[in-house]
Amino acid sequence: MKKIIEVALIIVCLIPLFFINVKNSHDWGDDFAQYVHQAKNINSGVSQNQTGYIFNENCFTGPIAYPVGFPLLLSPIVKFWGLDFYYFNLLQSLFLALSCLLGFLMIRQYSSFLTAIFVSLIVAYNPMLLNFKTEVISDLSFTFFSMFSLYLMQKKQNVFLSILLGLLIAFSIHIRSVGVLLVFTYLFNQVFLQASIRNFSLKANVNTGITLFTCILFYLGLKLAWPCNTNYPGFFETEHYWRTVNEHLSYNLYHLSMFFRGYPVESYWHIGIMASAALLVFALFGVFHFYSENKKSIYVYYLPVYVLMVISYKFSHAGMRFLYPVLFLLFLFAVIGLKKAILPWIQKQHYLALLLGSLVLFSYHEEIQRIQSRETEVLDGPQSKTAVEAFQYINAHIVSNSIVAFDKPRALCLYTHVQSFAIFPAANSEQIAEDLKKFKAGYYLSHETQSTDVLKQYPLQDSSRFKLIYANADFKLFRIQKNSPNQKM
């Protein structure tokens, strides 16, 4: 009964997430457009690879298609409400809330109720996450499904849990390919941690077999039903591996250190500085204490391998979003480290949890007020007035499947009927000309804030080849004259 009351209390505390920063627009980060377009394709029976986005290996804005997991989660919303970002934001709020609920349950296994609930609320209402949940991308859903998988791995297995775990792991892989780590984590847990390898027997691991069989079957079923060309580079497929790993480790640690100070806090910035320092130091300190007392916990093994895969990935510069799936593990180790550090001096640690948790939550209030004051603002993105006007013009005056060069090709493909590719922002004139010729572009679209000066100036240098056919405050659309006498070959 006590556990039910505790879970009910944390659920009540997380309900406001569904009313804070739920917006009706999206910014120009066009990852969301690819996910939404693939969700549309699921409903219409079109291939996941056919969104109009043309992959340019010289400018990696994203793969040809994302794994089908997150588009499947979006597809019911697209089917019943269309491109309604209010409902997309509610879905993201749900995944954030569910992740924080799981974070509470994970930390509650090793600490007091007061500590667990404060950590969950500190994560849930952190201004960076309140802003991040308006981004319609796969990170929060992967955080929930991967955390749920890890949580169930700690439970005593039966047939039902084994099947559920297999489904969760398979779906996690279809959300983010790094989810394959969950398979190896599960096998490591079952073979090496829960049972000594010397005492391993097939009879005692029937449930392990059920989980693996369910995982493989469900994974292949989704892959066959919705095949997609996720042409990501491999996790270890990078030049100068040692230098890359060090650079990405520094980058991700820096962004982790900004978790409590990556937003304006005029009067109480000192709280964020101390909280960030404490998170980093005590997490490192706590992981050794946790390992010494919980050698059979997969949490302490999963975290370093996951981080290694993140920092080995070629395109690891994504802010803090790749660390969200292990954020609660970092907090768990930080809690353990802090408890061990203060134990000789403070016996009644629940008072300290109340004090520190209240201070951190209090430091959020200024930025949360600013977030709420801006909720109704239309973001600079595809729903802005100038973007809507430009897309309407393109749909009305440009032939379907025409090829347009634009910095945000996936957003353009979602809102119009053209095909599009992006040109590398720092490309020189020769490289731009080469890409335009290679992809047989018929039109060139630039944006005041999303295009670099080089890309904005390029069509203005040759008026005989680039004819301006539409312009507003933010956009310029040029038709590329194919037979210009001055055309560069």
mmCIF file of all heavy atoms in Angstrom, residues 405-420:
data_model
loop_
_atom_site.group_PDB
_atom_site.id
_atom_site.type_symbol
_atom_site.label_atom_id
_atom_site.label_comp_id
_atom_site.label_asym_id
_atom_site.label_seq_id
_atom_site.Cartn_x
_atom_site.Cartn_y
_atom_site.Cartn_z
ATOM 1 N N ALA A 405 16.944 23.315 -53.806
ATOM 2 C CA ALA A 405 18.030 23.354 -52.829
ATOM 3 C C ALA A 405 17.609 24.273 -51.688
ATOM 4 O O ALA A 405 17.227 25.426 -51.926
ATOM 5 C CB ALA A 405 19.313 23.867 -53.478
ATOM 6 N N PHE A 406 17.684 23.771 -50.451
ATOM 7 C CA PHE A 406 17.268 24.567 -49.282
ATOM 8 C C PHE A 406 17.964 24.028 -48.037
ATOM 9 O O PHE A 406 18.220 22.826 -47.924
ATOM 10 C CB PHE A 406 15.744 24.518 -49.108
ATOM 11 C CG PHE A 406 15.224 25.343 -47.968
ATOM 12 C CD1 PHE A 406 15.622 26.655 -47.801
ATOM 13 C CD2 PHE A 406 14.322 24.804 -47.049
ATOM 14 C CE1 PHE A 406 15.137 27.430 -46.739
ATOM 15 C CE2 PHE A 406 13.827 25.562 -45.999
ATOM 16 C CZ PHE A 406 14.241 26.877 -45.848
ATOM 17 N N ASP A 407 18.240 24.898 -47.099
ATOM 18 C CA ASP A 407 18.967 24.516 -45.885
ATOM 19 C C ASP A 407 18.176 23.569 -44.989
ATOM 20 O O ASP A 407 18.775 22.824 -44.214
ATOM 21 C CB ASP A 407 19.339 25.772 -45.088
ATOM 22 C CG ASP A 407 20.220 26.706 -45.885
ATOM 23 O OD1 ASP A 407 19.666 27.524 -46.644
ATOM 24 O OD2 ASP A 407 21.444 26.612 -45.769
ATOM 25 N N LYS A 408 16.874 23.614 -45.057
ATOM 26 C CA LYS A 408 16.019 22.743 -44.244
ATOM 27 C C LYS A 408 15.170 21.880 -45.179
ATOM 28 O O LYS A 408 13.959 22.049 -45.296
ATOM 29 C CB LYS A 408 15.131 23.570 -43.316
ATOM 30 C CG LYS A 408 15.902 24.481 -42.368
ATOM 31 C CD LYS A 408 16.781 23.674 -41.416
ATOM 32 C CE LYS A 408 17.620 24.562 -40.526
ATOM 33 N NZ LYS A 408 18.479 23.765 -39.612
ATOM 34 N N PRO A 409 15.810 20.938 -45.859
ATOM 35 C CA PRO A 409 15.119 20.205 -46.933
ATOM 36 C C PRO A 409 13.956 19.348 -46.434
ATOM 37 O O PRO A 409 12.947 19.212 -47.123
ATOM 38 C CB PRO A 409 16.223 19.330 -47.528
ATOM 39 C CG PRO A 409 17.224 19.164 -46.431
ATOM 40 C CD PRO A 409 17.206 20.474 -45.690
ATOM 41 N N ARG A 410 14.082 18.757 -45.246
ATOM 42 C CA ARG A 410 13.032 17.856 -44.771
ATOM 43 C C ARG A 410 11.781 18.618 -44.365
ATOM 44 O O ARG A 410 10.662 18.147 -44.557
ATOM 45 C CB ARG A 410 13.579 16.995 -43.632
ATOM 46 C CG ARG A 410 14.700 16.074 -44.111
ATOM 47 C CD ARG A 410 15.390 15.357 -42.983
ATOM 48 N NE ARG A 410 16.108 16.266 -42.113
ATOM 49 C CZ ARG A 410 16.789 15.881 -41.029
ATOM 50 N NH1 ARG A 410 16.844 14.599 -40.711
ATOM 51 N NH2 ARG A 410 17.420 16.756 -40.290
ATOM 52 N N ALA A 411 11.965 19.819 -43.809
ATOM 53 C CA ALA A 411 10.810 20.659 -43.502
ATOM 54 C C ALA A 411 10.111 21.102 -44.784
ATOM 55 O O ALA A 411 8.882 21.115 -44.876
ATOM 56 C CB ALA A 411 11.242 21.879 -42.686
ATOM 57 N N LEU A 412 10.900 21.455 -45.802
ATOM 58 C CA LEU A 412 10.329 21.866 -47.082
ATOM 59 C C LEU A 412 9.533 20.722 -47.699
ATOM 60 O O LEU A 412 8.432 20.930 -48.232
ATOM 61 C CB LEU A 412 11.440 22.310 -48.027
ATOM 62 C CG LEU A 412 10.996 22.867 -49.373
ATOM 63 C CD1 LEU A 412 10.178 24.141 -49.202
ATOM 64 C CD2 LEU A 412 12.216 23.138 -50.270
ATOM 65 N N CYS A 413 10.062 19.502 -47.610
ATOM 66 C CA CYS A 413 9.357 18.351 -48.187
ATOM 67 C C CYS A 413 8.074 18.027 -47.433
ATOM 68 O O CYS A 413 7.098 17.547 -48.030
ATOM 69 C CB CYS A 413 10.274 17.128 -48.178
ATOM 70 S SG CYS A 413 11.680 17.254 -49.288
ATOM 71 N N LEU A 414 8.053 18.269 -46.137
ATOM 72 C CA LEU A 414 6.858 17.987 -45.352
ATOM 73 C C LEU A 414 5.714 18.930 -45.716
ATOM 74 O O LEU A 414 4.551 18.508 -45.811
ATOM 75 C CB LEU A 414 7.172 18.096 -43.853
ATOM 76 C CG LEU A 414 5.988 17.895 -42.894
ATOM 77 C CD1 LEU A 414 5.422 16.480 -43.011
ATOM 78 C CD2 LEU A 414 6.408 18.195 -41.453
ATOM 79 N N TYR A 415 6.039 20.190 -45.942
ATOM 80 C CA TYR A 415 4.989 21.193 -46.136
ATOM 81 C C TYR A 415 4.710 21.520 -47.603
ATOM 82 O O TYR A 415 3.791 22.288 -47.893
ATOM 83 C CB TYR A 415 5.348 22.477 -45.379
ATOM 84 C CG TYR A 415 5.232 22.310 -43.881
ATOM 85 C CD1 TYR A 415 6.341 22.002 -43.115
ATOM 86 C CD2 TYR A 415 4.002 22.426 -43.246
ATOM 87 C CE1 TYR A 415 6.237 21.835 -41.744
ATOM 88 C CE2 TYR A 415 3.884 22.263 -41.881
ATOM 89 C CZ TYR A 415 5.005 21.965 -41.130
ATOM 90 O OH TYR A 415 4.888 21.788 -39.771
ATOM 91 N N THR A 416 5.507 20.955 -48.497
ATOM 92 C CA THR A 416 5.254 21.205 -49.916
ATOM 93 C C THR A 416 5.339 19.878 -50.677
ATOM 94 O O THR A 416 5.625 18.838 -50.096
ATOM 95 C CB THR A 416 6.294 22.180 -50.514
ATOM 96 O OG1 THR A 416 7.578 21.545 -50.559
ATOM 97 C CG2 THR A 416 6.389 23.467 -49.690
ATOM 98 N N HIS A 417 5.120 19.936 -51.985
ATOM 99 C CA HIS A 417 5.155 18.714 -52.792
ATOM 100 C C HIS A 417 6.443 18.589 -53.604
ATOM 101 O O HIS A 417 6.496 17.855 -54.584
ATOM 102 C CB HIS A 417 3.936 18.657 -53.726
ATOM 103 C CG HIS A 417 3.778 19.889 -54.577
ATOM 104 N ND1 HIS A 417 2.550 20.422 -54.876
ATOM 105 C CD2 HIS A 417 4.687 20.691 -55.194
ATOM 106 C CE1 HIS A 417 2.702 21.478 -55.643
ATOM 107 N NE2 HIS A 417 3.990 21.657 -55.862
ATOM 108 N N VAL A 418 7.491 19.318 -53.201
ATOM 109 C CA VAL A 418 8.750 19.261 -53.942
ATOM 110 C C VAL A 418 9.715 18.279 -53.284
ATOM 111 O O VAL A 418 9.487 17.794 -52.181
ATOM 112 C CB VAL A 418 9.412 20.654 -54.021
ATOM 113 C CG1 VAL A 418 8.482 21.652 -54.687
ATOM 114 C CG2 VAL A 418 9.841 21.143 -52.633
ATOM 115 N N GLN A 419 10.818 17.997 -53.994
ATOM 116 C CA GLN A 419 11.944 17.279 -53.423
ATOM 117 C C GLN A 419 13.025 18.300 -53.050
ATOM 118 O O GLN A 419 13.089 19.377 -53.640
ATOM 119 C CB GLN A 419 12.512 16.268 -54.418
ATOM 120 C CG GLN A 419 11.525 15.210 -54.869
ATOM 121 C CD GLN A 419 12.172 14.237 -55.841
ATOM 122 O OE1 GLN A 419 13.071 13.491 -55.491
ATOM 123 N NE2 GLN A 419 11.714 14.285 -57.097
ATOM 124 N N SER A 420 13.866 17.947 -52.082
ATOM 125 C CA SER A 420 14.832 18.954 -51.640
ATOM 126 C C SER A 420 16.095 18.304 -51.076
ATOM 127 O O SER A 420 16.062 17.176 -50.569
ATOM 128 C CB SER A 420 14.201 19.855 -50.574
ATOM 129 O OG SER A 420 15.096 20.894 -50.205
#
